[in-house]
């Protein structure tokens, strides 16, 4: 009826910094099966099982490379007076006597309920995870004894989410059984703090991770006068230009009309938030069906409200003179027969004017809010009658056929939304779509 679990762990390690040799990791969990209480049993006959759960625990993440706290060294490129030398290893950093593992505190609260003789079940969970002392290579001022970086416990992140599972047995007769389970989950995260109170390379302090940043556009430059005119201190006029160029390398008719967000006359530090790569909700649907000797099982996966950047068409159409970029010039997944480029004033084409260069920038026009539903697995089986197989000394003989990644229903213009990284949210076409697989099998029990 009442459950309690306690644990305490303390780890000492030589890979920690000299001033921080120990880590402490406790946990506690408690549960209350309220359906076992007499006042519940006597008054709520339709409640088959009910339980509240709560837990808290702290865990530590080990270093990916040992002895980061001591500064990693390797063979140098040069010798001194005929003697070998050492240099800082790439990915290492200056020694840090206070370095320790990351620490994560996680809180969980849950509810398990089964109703109507376990026919209907509901599982609800809420979790909050706070990761402190996040390992991060912080830059050092100048060149500190050959080191430009130092590993430090430099930031804190939070993750929280809701998870819901509902399962229901529609039929549960000996010759007919059908059970359906539906689950959904939602996650939020945020960078809570940094070692210096400023933004880090992987995100903005106080804002979520998994954010897509890119440039805002306002169609195409139809004529030169569409662009704002700027002036130098000497009074010389010039148009909006990219950072890599000069005043004479400005945007022209047929280029994307970039929005100069900070009004500094060039397009570089003008990226804005264009969407989150995390879905609003994601989950699955599982069906188990049996009728006499036949069985059918299939599972589906869904995702709603996830933002993605489909850059596959644009990088497939790039004209490049760089031999290392040849792989960009093969429009494998793009039908170029109906693709249009800007040619003259008034055109509303698919792409800007044809030009030598790369289409590597993330643009607002490439961002899509994607929903998809996938038939992940499907299995159909048949058990031969026991009256027949018992003559052969068998307990079970089942033939089945199954498939994976069979169908995808999506509004995504790319190839496979599930193959797009949830970290970056950008589809460069480097990940192949998930393979479709078929299996024919036989299960025999004696």
């Amino acid at each position: 009826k009442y459950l309690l679990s306690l644990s305490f762990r303390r780890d000492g390690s030589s890979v920690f910094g000299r001033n921080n040799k120990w880590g402490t990791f406790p946990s506690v969990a408690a549960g209350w099966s309220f359906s076992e209480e007499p006042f519940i049993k006597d008054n709520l006959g339709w409640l088959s099982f009910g339980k509240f759960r709560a837990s808290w625990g702290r865990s530590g993440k080990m270093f990916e490379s040992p002895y980061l706290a001591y500064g990693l060294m390797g063979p140098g490129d040069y010798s001194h007076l005929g003697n070998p030398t050492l240099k800082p290893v790439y990915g290492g950093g200056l020694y840090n006597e206070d370095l320790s593992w990351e620490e994560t505190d996680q809180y969980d609260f849950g509810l398990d309920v089964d109703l109507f003789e376990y026919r209907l079940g509901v599982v609800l969970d809420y979790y909050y995870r706070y990761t402190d002392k996040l390992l991060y290579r912080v830059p050092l001022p100048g060149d500190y004894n050959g080191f430009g970086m130092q590993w430090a416990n430099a930031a804190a992140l939070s993750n929280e989410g809701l998870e819901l599972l509902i399962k229901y047995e529609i039929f549960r007769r000996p010759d007919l059984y059908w059970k359906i389970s539906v689950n959904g989950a939602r996650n939020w995260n945020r960078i809570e703090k940094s070692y210096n109170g400023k933004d880090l390379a992987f995100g903005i302090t106080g804002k979520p991770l998994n954010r897509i940043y890119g440039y805002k556009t306002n169609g195409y430059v139809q004529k030169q006068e569409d662009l704002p005119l700027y002036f130098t201190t000497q009074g010389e006029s010039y148009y909006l230009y990219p950072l890599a160029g000069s005043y004479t390398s400005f945007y022209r008719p047929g280029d994307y009309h970039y929005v100069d967000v900070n009004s500094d006359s060039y397009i570089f530090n003008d990226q804005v938030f264009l969407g989150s790569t995390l879905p609003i909700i994601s989950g699955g649907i599982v069906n188990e069906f049996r009728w006499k000797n036949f069985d059918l099982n299939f599972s589906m996966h869904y995702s709603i409200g996830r933002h993605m950047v489909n850059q596959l068409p644009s990088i497939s159409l790039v004209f490049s003179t760089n031999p290392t970029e040849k792989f960009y010039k093969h429009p494998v997944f793009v039908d170029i027969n109906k693709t249009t480029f800007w040619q003259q004033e008034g055109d509303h084409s698919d792409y800007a004017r044809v030009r030598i260069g790369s289409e590597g920038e993330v643009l607002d026009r490439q961002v899509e809010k994607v929903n998809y539903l996938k038939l992940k697995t499907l299995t159909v089986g048949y058990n031969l009658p026991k009256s027949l197989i018992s003559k052969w000394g068998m307990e079970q003989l089942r033939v089945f056929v199954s498939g994976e990644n069979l169908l995808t229903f999506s509004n995504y213009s790319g190839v496979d939304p599930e193959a797009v990284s949830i970290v970056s949210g950008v589809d460069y076409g480097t990940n192949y779509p998930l393979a479709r697989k078929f299996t024919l099998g036989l299960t025999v029990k004696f």
Side-chain angles (χ1 to χ4, degrees):
K1 188 185 301 186
Y2 309 109
L3 303 98
L4 178 66
S5 174
L6 299 169
S7 70
F8 181 84
R9 174 171 177 158
R10 187 162 169 80
D11 289 82
S13 176
S14 61
V15 303
F16 288 172
R18 182 182 302 174
N19 300 332
N20 203 350
K21 286 292 186 183
W22 292 88
T24 303
F25 308 106
S27 70
V28 57
W32 175 36
S33 297
F34 57 87
S35 57
E36 297 299 315
E37 299 287 356
F39 66 89
I40 296 292
K41 286 185 175 181
D42 297 339
N43 298 287
L44 301 178
W46 45 267
L47 179 64
S48 304
F49 177 76
K51 179 181 178 182
F52 285 119
R53 298 174 281 105
S55 64
W56 167 82
R58 176 175 297 167
S59 59
K61 177 184 176 182
M62 297 180 63
F63 300 149
E64 295 180 0
S65 301
Y67 302 106
L68 290 179
Y70 296 92
L72 304 180
M73 305 290 288
D77 297 326
Y78 307 99
S79 61
H80 177 69
L81 300 178
N83 298 314
T85 59
L86 295 175
K87 70 173 183 179
V89 174
Y90 177 78
L94 181 68
Y95 69 91
N96 183 351
E97 296 181 343
D98 296 317
L99 193 68
S100 68
W101 289 346
E102 294 178 3
E103 291 183 354
T104 298
D105 287 85
Q106 179 162 331
Y107 303 82
D108 287 277
F109 302 93
L111 171 66
D112 303 324
V113 175
D114 287 293
L115 310 171
F116 313 120
E117 297 183 355
Y118 295 92
R119 193 159 194 166
L120 174 64
V122 178
V123 180
L124 177 64
D125 280 280
Y126 167 79
Y127 64 86
Y128 179 81
R129 185 182 299 121
Y130 187 88
T131 299
D132 199 4
K133 302 180 181 179
L134 182 75
L135 291 170
Y136 182 74
R137 290 178 70 211
V138 301
L140 297 174
D143 190 355
Y144 194 92
N145 291 339
F147 291 92
M149 299 283 184
Q150 182 186 50
W151 283 98
N153 301 110
L157 306 175
S158 66
N159 273 275
E160 63 179 322
L162 285 170
E163 298 176 352
L164 175 65
L165 168 65
I166 301 176
K167 50 188 177 180
Y168 182 63
E169 294 180 351
I170 301 174
F171 301 109
R172 58 178 183 183
R173 299 198 298 264
D175 61 340
L176 180 61
Y177 180 83
W178 184 12
K179 177 182 177 182
I180 182 171
S181 303
V182 181
N183 68 73
R186 174 73 189 273
N187 174 265
W188 300 266
N189 58 41
R190 186 170 65 177
I191 302 176
E192 296 290 346
K193 64 180 181 180
S194 66
Y195 71 101
N196 59 1
K198 299 180 181 180
D199 298 334
L200 302 175
F202 59 83
I204 300 174
T205 304
K207 298 293 184 179
L209 292 165
N210 308 94
R211 294 159 63 92
I212 297 174
Y213 290 92
Y215 296 99
K216 292 180 65 176
T217 59
N218 186 18
Y220 304 110
V221 181
Q222 297 292 349
K223 52 186 177 181
Q224 200 66 51
E225 290 74 19
D226 290 343
L227 292 174
L229 197 62
Y230 301 91
F231 294 90
T232 66
T233 54
Q234 292 78 26
E236 182 181 357
S237 62
Y238 63 94
Y239 291 103
L240 191 69
Y241 68 98
L243 179 66
S246 62
Y247 296 152
T248 58
S249 180
F250 51 83
Y251 292 108
R252 292 176 168 82
D255 290 328
Y256 293 118
H257 192 166
Y258 292 95
V259 177
D260 186 10
V261 177
N262 58 6
S263 301
D264 60 359
S265 76
Y266 63 85
I267 301 299
F268 180 69
N269 295 316
D270 297 280
Q271 292 181 325
V272 297
F273 172 68
L274 297 176
S276 172
T277 65
L278 295 178
I280 296 175
I281 185 173
S282 63
I285 304 171
V286 178
N287 274 270
E288 304 173 44
F289 182 83
R290 292 194 301 271
W291 177 64
K292 295 184 178 180
N293 291 343
F294 291 94
D295 60 85
L296 170 68
N297 294 272
F298 69 88
S299 64
M300 308 185 79
H301 175 255
Y302 68 88
S303 176
I304 300 174
R306 181 181 165 192
H307 288 86
M308 300 180 187
V309 182
N310 184 14
Q311 282 208 330
L312 182 57
S314 60
I315 63 175
S316 298
L317 296 171
V318 166
F319 296 89
S320 176
T321 57
N322 187 344
T324 63
E325 295 181 354
K326 283 185 176 180
F327 63 92
Y328 282 143
K329 299 195 298 180
H330 303 290
V332 179
F333 298 110
V334 180
D335 183 5
I336 64 175
N337 294 321
K338 297 181 180 180
T339 301
T340 59
F341 295 87
W342 190 96
Q343 298 184 55
Q344 60 186 0
E345 182 179 340
D347 282 353
H348 298 281
S349 53
D350 299 323
Y351 297 96
R353 64 186 175 92
V354 178
R355 64 190 188 278
I356 303 296
S358 174
E359 291 278 353
E361 307 98 348
V362 174
L363 307 179
D364 55 355
R365 57 187 287 127
Q366 300 168 335
V367 179
E368 303 178 27
K369 192 172 185 179
V370 177
N371 309 313
Y372 67 84
L373 174 67
K374 277 198 165 192
L375 179 57
K376 293 294 293 181
T377 62
L378 173 66
T379 301
V380 180
Y382 177 74
N383 285 282
L384 271 69
K386 289 189 175 182
S387 58
L388 176 62
I389 62 176
S390 60
K391 301 177 181 178
W392 306 332
M394 298 179 184
E395 182 181 340
Q396 182 188 25
L397 179 59
R398 177 174 176 265
V399 181
F400 68 91
V401 60
S402 66
E404 299 179 19
N405 300 310
L406 298 177
L407 293 172
T408 300
F409 306 94
S410 176
N411 63 343
Y412 182 51
S413 65
V415 181
D416 186 353
E418 193 176 7
V420 180
S421 169
I422 201 168
V423 177
S424 67
V426 182
D427 185 1
Y428 295 108
T430 54
N431 294 326
Y432 282 97
L434 300 181
R436 186 173 294 151
K437 179 181 177 181
F438 297 95
T439 303
L440 179 64
L442 182 68
T443 302
V444 181
K445 292 182 180 181
F446 294 94

